[in-house]
Amino acid sequence: MRIDILTLFPEMFQGPLDASIVARAREQGLAEIALHNIRDWAFDKHRRVDDEPYGGGAGMVMKPEPLFAAVEAVQELAESQAHVVLLTPQGRLLTQEVVEELAERPRLLLICGRYEGFDERIREHLADDEVSIGDYVLSGGEPAAIVLVDALVRRIPNALGNEASLDEESHTRGLLEYAQYTRPAEFRGWQVPDVLLSGNHPEVEKWRRRQSLLRTAQRRPDLLSRALKTGAVSEDDRRWLEEELETNLSDLA
Ligand code: ADE
């Protein structure tokens, strides 16, 4: 997978792209990530990338010319055409489903905005997609691009170095993770649940599944409702959960 990132602050990516899983995936050639400074395509002598909004109002708006020129030039850097994604609070909400969908693309071009927003022609005629990482406003798209890159890279085969963790995730997709423990078995009087020490793998699996279901029901009923609809929760799961919570889950689904 190739990811090109257009930003006014390439230095914000140093660190996040040079450490841990993402750095290793880049070193191993599993992900090719290139940063480009939008200002390199600013055409006037002040190298302006923003201007006042027509109609007045506070804040500055990103101009179309530098961004169009930047995207066109960066598209030429590789054979395949990149899917162009704008990071903005107005985009579709980033979920694991959206990550999986974007991961199907061999090449992405992420545009990080600054200032009050983009000239509308950028949205309409340059971007193929708009993504938001949550209902809050950041000072720019850079942290959002870092989040998206991380979520994409960790699911590339071999990037995690521990493929079992991805299997486990797909098994529980749509549900929250179960509680995890490690040594010591007792810490300050708090015990690890007996079943995890039992060595009985089917029982451990059952316990984990139920923990996941219970946690999701308690903390994220919205996710449980989706999982009930998509069939990620079996009839057995459902019956157990209804007994445990003493409720009828048909109200949720
Ligand atoms: N830019 C500013 N806020 C953002 C958000 N929540 N998601 C993506 N890009 C953004």
Side-chain angles (χ1 to χ4, degrees):
M1 162 171 251
R2 177 179 170 121
I3 306 175
D4 288 285
I5 303 173
L6 260 55
T7 169
L8 288 167
F9 299 97
E11 64 274 20
M12 285 182 75
F13 292 84
Q14 280 163 14
L17 297 189
D18 300 326
S20 185
I21 306 273
V22 176
R24 216 186 47 207
R26 294 176 82 185
E27 280 158 18
Q28 294 179 342
L30 300 171
E32 191 181 345
I33 304 176
L35 290 161
H36 313 277
N37 193 330
I38 299 165
R39 210 174 288 282
D40 292 345
W41 284 275
F43 56 91
D44 69 356
K45 69 171 192 277
H46 304 295
R47 300 182 80 209
R48 286 189 75 165
V49 292
D50 62 320
D51 208 336
E52 292 159 1
Y54 275 122
M60 302 293 270
V61 175
M62 286 187 78
K63 293 167 69 58
E65 306 95 312
L67 262 180
F68 271 76
V71 168
E72 284 157 11
V74 169
Q75 284 284 24
E76 295 297 316
L77 298 178
E79 293 244 317
S80 61
Q81 192 69 6
H83 182 68
V84 178
V85 182
L86 224 51
L87 279 316
T88 128
Q90 298 186 19
R92 56 189 178 132
L93 204 56
L94 187 66
T95 59
Q96 191 62 33
E97 259 169 42
V98 173
V99 170
E100 300 298 327
E101 184 201 310
L102 292 174
E104 294 292 313
R105 308 265 178 187
R107 190 175 171 210
L108 295 172
L109 196 163
L110 311 183
I111 304 178
C112 306
R114 282 270 145 180
Y115 313 113
E116 298 305 300
F118 297 98
D119 182 285
E120 191 64 17
R121 289 162 291 189
I122 294 166
R123 290 180 195 285
E124 283 183 358
H125 305 294
L126 189 62
D128 300 312
D129 207 346
E130 295 185 38
V131 167
S132 161
I133 61 160
D135 291 336
Y136 39 81
V137 182
L138 304 165
S139 10
E142 285 79 5
I146 292 165
V147 167
L148 177 55
V149 167
D150 187 282
L152 286 166
V153 168
R154 69 188 296 286
R155 50 148 333 280
I156 296 175
N158 300 317
L160 284 187
N162 174 11
E163 296 311 297
S165 8
L166 272 186
D167 272 2
E168 190 78 356
E169 275 176 21
S170 64
H171 174 64
T172 52
R173 175 116 334 131
L175 298 177
L176 300 183
E177 272 236 48
Y178 47 78
Q180 297 266 37
Y181 296 87
T182 186
R183 275 181 275 270
E186 186 191 324
F187 170 67
R188 298 190 177 179
W190 300 306
Q191 304 274 351
V192 173
D194 283 342
V195 60
L196 298 180
L197 309 175
S198 69
N200 183 337
H201 290 292
E203 279 304 310
V204 169
E205 283 309 304
K206 191 160 121 192
W207 182 86
R208 288 182 163 169
R209 177 80 186 162
R210 292 180 167 183
Q211 278 281 313
S212 263
L213 289 162
L214 203 54
R215 245 174 210 227
T216 311
Q218 288 163 341
R219 298 181 185 200
R220 294 292 304 274
D222 57 317
L223 289 185
L224 183 67
S225 161
R226 278 238 317 253
L228 287 166
K229 283 179 196 140
T230 60
V233 172
S234 69
E235 266 312 303
D236 268 2
D237 287 343
R238 185 199 184 100
R239 242 174 283 131
W240 176 80
L241 200 52
E242 287 188 329
E243 239 168 68
E244 187 71 18
L245 298 171
E246 296 176 9
T247 60
N248 188 338
L249 291 176
S250 48
D251 299 343
L252 254 185

